[in-house]
Structures are given as structure tokens and as C-alpha cells.
Amino acid sequence: QVGSNISPPTGGPVAMATDSARLKLEKVYHWFDTFHNTEPERHPGKTGCCLTLLMVPAVLIYGIVWFVQHQQKPPVETLVIDWSISYGPYPMKVSCHEGASCWLYLSGCESESSGRCISLAAGQELELQMCYSLAAREGLHAWWTGSSSGISIYSQAKSMWMKQAIEAGRSSMTYVKTEDKTKESGEWERLRHEWFTMYLSSEALAPEHSGCQEHRSGAYAAQIVMKPEFYEKTLEKLDFIVSLIGEVGGAYGIISTIFFALYILLWNVENANQKSHDQSLPVTAPAPVAMEPGAEITTTPKAEVTPPPPTRSATDDMMVEHTREAFV
């Protein structure tokens, strides 16, 4: 009926649509509100959803800033000092000076180059397998003739070979192995071997062996010993996936803790305001049922109560019997 003021009955299409929309909204709150699960009495709501939606961009912004800084950050350098006697041999490039004839003999340790006299012509280069010797008179002995300059030792710098001339006398060497894992395999800087010499004395200790004995007379002599420690340096960038999980995971934990504290504060304020509002509302009687104009109010009459029939006692029966006999 057009213009009717009667409300639609409960369970009608409008009520069903309203319930369906409410259930969908509750599902949305449930999925987006990441704070309501901590305690059961805090149901999903708009406050938790808003804080969750604000927390996600904060974590993403932190992740982007970290990624940019990670790409610009230099490699991490690790330096390990170890005993030379525990490892080896160690590759060392040597050469004989122009205009000289050189002979080398390595003793006191085991390598492919030890225990034999090695002859080098003028300008010739050789990769020697150097090793550490404990005895003071052992190590690498060199003799040369034809020039005051004898052998040279090369080190792999970052972009070129560095040549160090060995003077007659006694010298020590420090070995540094550098592995740059940020470079591709086969590149110059991927693996470098560097030797740093230190001049100790103008006189070399005479060896106890007889190696290269036929070339010693009248030749310049030098003794080169390796220091008891060597340095192994590694350059590498931290694993991106592991670093990303650690950094972003830690940031998420800190940010979620801050937002959870903010959520608790807002939830308590909202809960207190709701209770105050409920207490300020007046108590109202139930609303009367709406009636159609002109409708008659029918009432159901009360049922009449019929009294029970009177009952006669034994005395009444005797009186009736005596009266009947008197009339007879």
C-alpha cells in the first residue's frame, strides 16, 4: 500500500541485504585489522584497519631506503691473520734483472720449487711456489752475476704489477692474499697475491745446504725469508636476500610494536567515549505498535466462571428423611 507507515517485516529482502553487507564489512575488518587478535574482546574495527594500512607503507618506505643504501654501500672487508707454516705454498712471481744471470734455491720447506737449483736468464720471469721455513739459515737464497741488481719480486696491485728489487743481503717478506668476491671469476682483481719486502741486513746468512754451489763464487748473494704470519683479506657484499629478510623483518617488528601501542591508546579512548555516550542516553519505554488508520481494536472477552454445584452432607440427608415421614 502506497504511503503505508508499516515497517518491513524482519527477515525481508532489505534486512537480508543489510545483514549481508554487514558480514562483508566484518570480513574486510578481519583481514585488514592485524591488531585485534591479541585479545578476544577487541573486535576488528576501523581503527585497526587504518593503522594497518598506514603501517604497510612505512615498512615499504624503509625497505626502499635500505635497498638504495645497500647498493651504494662498499663491500665488507674481512681480514684474517694466520700462521704461514699452517698453509702454503704461496705463489710468488720473480724475475732476473736485465744483464744478469740468476740462480735460486728454496730450502727448509716443501713445495714444487724447493730442493733444486733454479736458473734464470736475464729478463726471465718465473712463478715460484714460496713456503715458510723455521730455520734461520733456510728460506729462499739467490745468487746473481753480471749486474749489481739481481732478482725482483712482483705483487699484484689493484690495476698493475708492482716490482720490488731485492738487494744483496737479508730481507723478509710479508704475504697478503686478497680475494674480491664482488668481481667476476677471471678478472684481475678477483684474486691477488701481494708481497711486501723489508730489508734486514747487508749480509745474508750462509745456507747449510750445498744447492747451487757451483754458482756462488764471486756472485752477489741474498737471503729472503717469509714472515711467520700472513694476511688473508676478503671483500664481499652481504647476501641480499638474507640482509633483506633481516632488515625488513626487524623494521616490521619495531614499526608494528609502535603502531600496536598507538592502537591500544586509541582503542581505550574510543572505548571510554562509547561507554560515556551509552550512559548519557535516557531510558525510553518500548515504542507502541503502529496501527493502520481506522482499524478497530478487538479484545477477547474473559471467560465466565461457573460456580461448582452445591454438595449435600450426611446431616442434610437425614433432615430430608424426617420431614418426609412427618407428612406421611
Side-chain angles (χ1 to χ4, degrees):
Q1 182 178 349
V2 179
S4 174
N5 294 327
I6 301 177
S7 301
T10 304
V14 176
M16 294 178 61
T18 304
D19 293 341
S20 177
R22 180 175 55 81
L23 291 176
K24 290 182 180 179
L25 185 61
E26 288 181 355
K27 288 182 179 181
V28 172
Y29 285 165
H30 179 79
W31 281 105
F32 281 95
D33 188 353
T34 59
F35 302 103
H36 73 278
N37 292 330
T38 305
E39 296 183 12
E41 62 267 18
R42 288 201 300 269
H43 299 288
K46 292 184 291 184
T47 303
C49 291
C50 292
L51 290 177
T52 300
L53 294 177
L54 289 175
M55 182 179 65
V56 172
V59 176
L60 290 177
I61 291 173
Y62 177 85
I64 293 173
V65 172
W66 172 85
F67 174 77
V68 174
Q69 293 179 348
H70 181 270
Q71 295 300 111
Q72 298 175 350
K73 187 180 297 184
V76 178
E77 181 177 319
T78 305
L79 183 63
V80 177
I81 305 175
D82 219 324
W83 291 98
S84 301
I85 196 173
S86 301
Y87 299 90
Y90 310 95
M92 183 176 67
K93 182 181 178 181
V94 298
S95 68
C96 186
H97 192 268
E98 294 290 342
S101 298
C102 307
W103 299 271
L104 306 175
Y105 195 93
L106 179 61
S107 62
C109 57
E110 295 294 331
S111 78
E112 295 179 0
S113 305
S114 63
R116 59 191 180 94
C117 186
I118 302 174
S119 177
L120 294 178
Q124 185 179 354
E125 297 178 353
L126 173 70
E127 184 174 280
L128 189 72
Q129 298 298 317
M130 187 63 179
C131 51
Y132 176 76
S133 57
L134 291 171
R137 294 181 178 274
E138 304 293 347
L140 178 64
H141 283 82
W143 297 272
W144 65 89
T145 59
S147 175
S148 59
S149 299
I151 65 171
S152 297
I153 297 176
Y154 292 84
S155 293
Q156 291 177 268
K158 286 188 175 182
S159 58
M160 58 182 295
W161 287 102
M162 296 295 294
K163 183 179 179 181
Q164 303 172 86
I166 302 299
E167 299 290 338
R170 195 167 191 265
S171 302
S172 68
M173 293 188 304
T174 300
Y175 172 64
V176 178
K177 177 183 177 181
T178 303
E179 184 177 7
D180 191 349
K181 294 184 178 181
T182 63
K183 305 297 182 181
E184 296 293 333
S185 179
E187 292 187 20
W188 173 268
E189 296 184 13
R190 173 69 182 191
L191 181 62
R192 296 185 293 114
H193 305 279
E194 296 175 284
W195 295 91
F196 300 91
T197 62
M198 178 181 290
Y199 188 72
L200 300 178
S201 173
S202 60
E203 293 184 6
L205 298 179
E208 296 181 349
H209 59 79
S210 58
C212 300
Q213 185 69 43
E214 65 275 15
H215 304 293
R216 297 183 186 181
S217 179
Y220 293 95
Q223 181 191 12
I224 306 166
V225 294
M226 186 177 179
K227 282 194 172 183
E229 79 281 355
F230 77 97
Y231 300 85
E232 186 171 5
K233 184 168 64 173
T234 304
L235 300 173
E236 60 182 339
K237 281 200 170 185
L238 297 177
D239 186 83
F240 177 76
I241 300 299
V242 175
S243 301
L244 178 65
I245 293 174
E247 291 287 339
V248 177
Y252 175 80
I254 295 174
I255 294 175
S256 62
T257 302
I258 296 174
F259 274 73
F260 179 71
L262 180 60
Y263 169 78
I264 292 295
L265 176 62
L266 295 177
W267 183 84
N268 286 322
V269 171
E270 184 179 353
N271 190 38
N273 292 337
Q274 184 65 35
K275 288 183 179 179
S276 177
H277 179 333
D278 293 343
Q279 292 176 358
S280 64
L281 293 177
V283 179
T284 57
V289 180
M291 299 294 295
E292 186 178 357
E296 294 181 356
I297 299 176
T298 58
T299 58
T300 304
K302 294 182 179 180
E304 297 181 357
V305 179
T306 305
T311 57
R312 294 185 301 177
S313 63
T315 307
D316 294 337
D317 292 339
M318 291 177 65
M319 290 179 64
V320 172
E321 185 65 30
H322 289 311
T323 304
R324 187 178 299 170
E325 288 177 357
F327 281 103
V328 177

Short mmCIF file of all heavy atoms in Angstrom, two decimals, residues 158-185:
data_model
loop_
_atom_site.label_atom_id
_atom_site.label_comp_id
_atom_site.label_asym_id
_atom_site.label_seq_id
_atom_site.Cartn_x
_atom_site.Cartn_y
_atom_site.Cartn_z
N LYS A 158 96.03 -3.28 -7.49
CA LYS A 158 94.66 -3.29 -8.00
C LYS A 158 94.58 -3.20 -9.51
O LYS A 158 93.65 -3.71 -10.11
CB LYS A 158 93.87 -2.14 -7.37
CG LYS A 158 93.50 -2.39 -5.91
CD LYS A 158 92.55 -1.31 -5.40
CE LYS A 158 92.10 -1.62 -3.98
NZ LYS A 158 91.14 -0.61 -3.47
N SER A 159 95.54 -2.55 -10.12
CA SER A 159 95.44 -2.37 -11.58
C SER A 159 96.73 -2.70 -12.34
O SER A 159 96.73 -2.60 -13.56
CB SER A 159 95.04 -0.92 -11.89
OG SER A 159 95.99 -0.02 -11.33
N MET A 160 97.78 -3.10 -11.62
CA MET A 160 99.04 -3.33 -12.31
C MET A 160 99.97 -4.16 -11.42
O MET A 160 99.70 -4.38 -10.24
CB MET A 160 99.72 -1.99 -12.63
CG MET A 160 99.98 -1.15 -11.40
SD MET A 160 100.73 0.46 -11.75
CE MET A 160 102.30 -0.04 -12.40
N TRP A 161 101.06 -4.63 -12.04
CA TRP A 161 102.10 -5.32 -11.30
C TRP A 161 103.02 -4.30 -10.63
O TRP A 161 103.42 -3.32 -11.24
CB TRP A 161 102.93 -6.21 -12.22
CG TRP A 161 102.24 -7.46 -12.69
CD1 TRP A 161 101.68 -7.66 -13.91
CD2 TRP A 161 102.07 -8.65 -11.94
NE1 TRP A 161 101.15 -8.92 -13.99
CE2 TRP A 161 101.37 -9.56 -12.78
CE3 TRP A 161 102.41 -9.06 -10.67
CZ2 TRP A 161 101.02 -10.84 -12.38
CZ3 TRP A 161 102.06 -10.34 -10.26
CH2 TRP A 161 101.38 -11.21 -11.10
N MET A 162 103.36 -4.57 -9.37
CA MET A 162 104.32 -3.73 -8.64
C MET A 162 105.63 -4.52 -8.49
O MET A 162 105.64 -5.63 -7.96
CB MET A 162 103.77 -3.35 -7.27
CG MET A 162 102.53 -2.48 -7.33
SD MET A 162 102.84 -0.86 -8.05
CE MET A 162 103.93 -0.15 -6.82
N LYS A 163 106.72 -3.92 -8.97
CA LYS A 163 108.02 -4.59 -8.98
C LYS A 163 108.89 -4.08 -7.84
O LYS A 163 109.03 -2.87 -7.64
CB LYS A 163 108.70 -4.33 -10.33
CG LYS A 163 110.04 -5.01 -10.52
CD LYS A 163 110.57 -4.69 -11.91
CE LYS A 163 111.92 -5.35 -12.13
NZ LYS A 163 112.47 -5.02 -13.48
N GLN A 164 109.45 -5.01 -7.07
CA GLN A 164 110.31 -4.66 -5.94
C GLN A 164 111.66 -5.36 -6.12
O GLN A 164 111.72 -6.60 -6.15
CB GLN A 164 109.68 -5.08 -4.61
CG GLN A 164 108.30 -4.49 -4.37
CD GLN A 164 107.63 -5.10 -3.15
OE1 GLN A 164 107.84 -4.65 -2.03
NE2 GLN A 164 106.83 -6.14 -3.37
N ALA A 165 112.71 -4.59 -6.20
CA ALA A 165 114.05 -5.16 -6.38
C ALA A 165 114.60 -5.64 -5.03
O ALA A 165 114.40 -5.02 -4.00
CB ALA A 165 114.99 -4.11 -6.97
N ILE A 166 115.29 -6.78 -5.08
CA ILE A 166 115.88 -7.37 -3.88
C ILE A 166 117.37 -7.04 -3.86
O ILE A 166 118.11 -7.37 -4.81
CB ILE A 166 115.67 -8.90 -3.85
CG1 ILE A 166 114.16 -9.22 -3.89
CG2 ILE A 166 116.31 -9.51 -2.61
CD1 ILE A 166 113.37 -8.66 -2.73
N GLU A 167 117.78 -6.40 -2.79
CA GLU A 167 119.19 -6.05 -2.64
C GLU A 167 119.96 -7.24 -2.05
O GLU A 167 119.39 -8.13 -1.41
CB GLU A 167 119.33 -4.84 -1.71
CG GLU A 167 118.65 -3.58 -2.20
CD GLU A 167 119.36 -2.97 -3.41
OE1 GLU A 167 120.58 -3.26 -3.59
OE2 GLU A 167 118.69 -2.24 -4.18
N ALA A 168 121.26 -7.22 -2.28
CA ALA A 168 122.12 -8.24 -1.68
C ALA A 168 122.08 -8.10 -0.16
O ALA A 168 122.13 -7.00 0.38
CB ALA A 168 123.55 -8.10 -2.21
N GLY A 169 121.95 -9.21 0.53
CA GLY A 169 121.82 -9.18 1.97
C GLY A 169 120.64 -10.04 2.42
O GLY A 169 120.24 -11.00 1.75
N ARG A 170 120.06 -9.67 3.54
CA ARG A 170 118.96 -10.46 4.11
C ARG A 170 117.69 -9.61 4.15
O ARG A 170 117.70 -8.47 4.64
CB ARG A 170 119.32 -10.94 5.52
CG ARG A 170 118.43 -12.05 6.06
CD ARG A 170 119.07 -12.66 7.32
NE ARG A 170 118.39 -13.88 7.73
CZ ARG A 170 117.43 -13.93 8.65
NH1 ARG A 170 117.05 -12.82 9.28
NH2 ARG A 170 116.86 -15.08 8.96
N SER A 171 116.60 -10.17 3.66
CA SER A 171 115.31 -9.46 3.62
C SER A 171 114.21 -10.41 4.07
O SER A 171 114.33 -11.63 4.00
CB SER A 171 115.00 -8.96 2.20
OG SER A 171 116.01 -8.09 1.74
N SER A 172 113.14 -9.82 4.55
CA SER A 172 111.94 -10.59 4.93
C SER A 172 110.78 -10.16 4.05
O SER A 172 110.75 -9.04 3.52
CB SER A 172 111.61 -10.38 6.41
OG SER A 172 111.18 -9.05 6.65
N MET A 173 109.79 -11.06 3.94
CA MET A 173 108.63 -10.79 3.09
C MET A 173 107.34 -11.10 3.85
O MET A 173 107.27 -12.08 4.59
CB MET A 173 108.68 -11.62 1.81
CG MET A 173 109.80 -11.25 0.86
SD MET A 173 109.62 -12.13 -0.70
CE MET A 173 109.56 -13.82 -0.13
N THR A 174 106.34 -10.25 3.62
CA THR A 174 105.00 -10.46 4.18
C THR A 174 104.06 -10.74 3.02
O THR A 174 104.01 -9.98 2.04
CB THR A 174 104.52 -9.23 4.96
OG1 THR A 174 105.42 -8.97 6.02
CG2 THR A 174 103.13 -9.46 5.53
N TYR A 175 103.31 -11.83 3.16
CA TYR A 175 102.39 -12.24 2.09
C TYR A 175 100.97 -11.80 2.44
O TYR A 175 100.50 -11.99 3.58
CB TYR A 175 102.44 -13.75 1.91
CG TYR A 175 101.39 -14.30 0.97
CD1 TYR A 175 101.39 -13.97 -0.38
CD2 TYR A 175 100.40 -15.17 1.44
CE1 TYR A 175 100.44 -14.48 -1.24
CE2 TYR A 175 99.45 -15.69 0.57
CZ TYR A 175 99.47 -15.33 -0.75
OH TYR A 175 98.52 -15.85 -1.60
N VAL A 176 100.27 -11.21 1.46
CA VAL A 176 98.87 -10.79 1.61
C VAL A 176 98.09 -11.37 0.43
O VAL A 176 98.40 -11.08 -0.74
CB VAL A 176 98.72 -9.26 1.66
CG1 VAL A 176 97.24 -8.88 1.77
CG2 VAL A 176 99.52 -8.68 2.82
N LYS A 177 97.07 -12.13 0.77
CA LYS A 177 96.18 -12.70 -0.24
C LYS A 177 94.85 -11.95 -0.19
O LYS A 177 94.20 -11.88 0.86
CB LYS A 177 95.95 -14.19 0.02
CG LYS A 177 94.97 -14.84 -0.93
CD LYS A 177 94.74 -16.30 -0.55
CE LYS A 177 93.72 -16.95 -1.46
NZ LYS A 177 93.47 -18.36 -1.06
N THR A 178 94.44 -11.38 -1.32
CA THR A 178 93.22 -10.58 -1.38
C THR A 178 92.26 -11.23 -2.37
O THR A 178 92.60 -11.40 -3.55
CB THR A 178 93.51 -9.14 -1.81
OG1 THR A 178 94.46 -8.56 -0.91
CG2 THR A 178 92.24 -8.31 -1.81
N GLU A 179 91.07 -11.55 -1.89
CA GLU A 179 90.02 -12.11 -2.75
C GLU A 179 88.82 -11.16 -2.73
O GLU A 179 88.20 -10.94 -1.69
CB GLU A 179 89.60 -13.49 -2.26
CG GLU A 179 88.58 -14.16 -3.17
CD GLU A 179 88.23 -15.57 -2.72
OE1 GLU A 179 88.67 -15.96 -1.62
OE2 GLU A 179 87.49 -16.26 -3.46
N ASP A 180 88.51 -10.62 -3.89
CA ASP A 180 87.39 -9.69 -4.04
C ASP A 180 86.23 -10.46 -4.68
O ASP A 180 86.20 -10.66 -5.90
CB ASP A 180 87.80 -8.49 -4.90
CG ASP A 180 86.76 -7.39 -4.87
OD1 ASP A 180 85.64 -7.64 -4.36
OD2 ASP A 180 87.05 -6.28 -5.35
N LYS A 181 85.27 -10.86 -3.86
CA LYS A 181 84.16 -11.67 -4.36
C LYS A 181 83.11 -10.86 -5.09
O LYS A 181 82.16 -11.43 -5.65
CB LYS A 181 83.52 -12.42 -3.19
CG LYS A 181 84.44 -13.46 -2.57
CD LYS A 181 83.73 -14.26 -1.49
CE LYS A 181 84.65 -15.33 -0.92
NZ LYS A 181 83.98 -16.14 0.13
N THR A 182 83.27 -9.53 -5.11
CA THR A 182 82.35 -8.71 -5.90
C THR A 182 82.73 -8.69 -7.38
O THR A 182 81.96 -8.21 -8.21
CB THR A 182 82.33 -7.27 -5.37
OG1 THR A 182 83.63 -6.68 -5.51
CG2 THR A 182 81.94 -7.25 -3.89
N LYS A 183 83.92 -9.21 -7.71
CA LYS A 183 84.37 -9.28 -9.10
C LYS A 183 84.09 -10.65 -9.68
O LYS A 183 83.99 -11.64 -8.96
CB LYS A 183 85.87 -8.98 -9.19
CG LYS A 183 86.29 -7.66 -8.57
CD LYS A 183 85.66 -6.48 -9.26
CE LYS A 183 86.13 -5.16 -8.64
NZ LYS A 183 85.51 -3.98 -9.29
N GLU A 184 83.95 -10.69 -11.00
CA GLU A 184 83.70 -11.95 -11.69
C GLU A 184 84.97 -12.80 -11.70
O GLU A 184 86.09 -12.29 -11.65
CB GLU A 184 83.23 -11.69 -13.11
CG GLU A 184 81.90 -10.96 -13.21
CD GLU A 184 80.74 -11.80 -12.69
OE1 GLU A 184 80.85 -13.05 -12.74
OE2 GLU A 184 79.73 -11.24 -12.24
N SER A 185 84.76 -14.11 -11.76
CA SER A 185 85.88 -15.03 -11.83
C SER A 185 86.69 -14.79 -13.10
O SER A 185 86.13 -14.68 -14.19
CB SER A 185 85.37 -16.48 -11.79
OG SER A 185 86.44 -17.38 -11.86
#
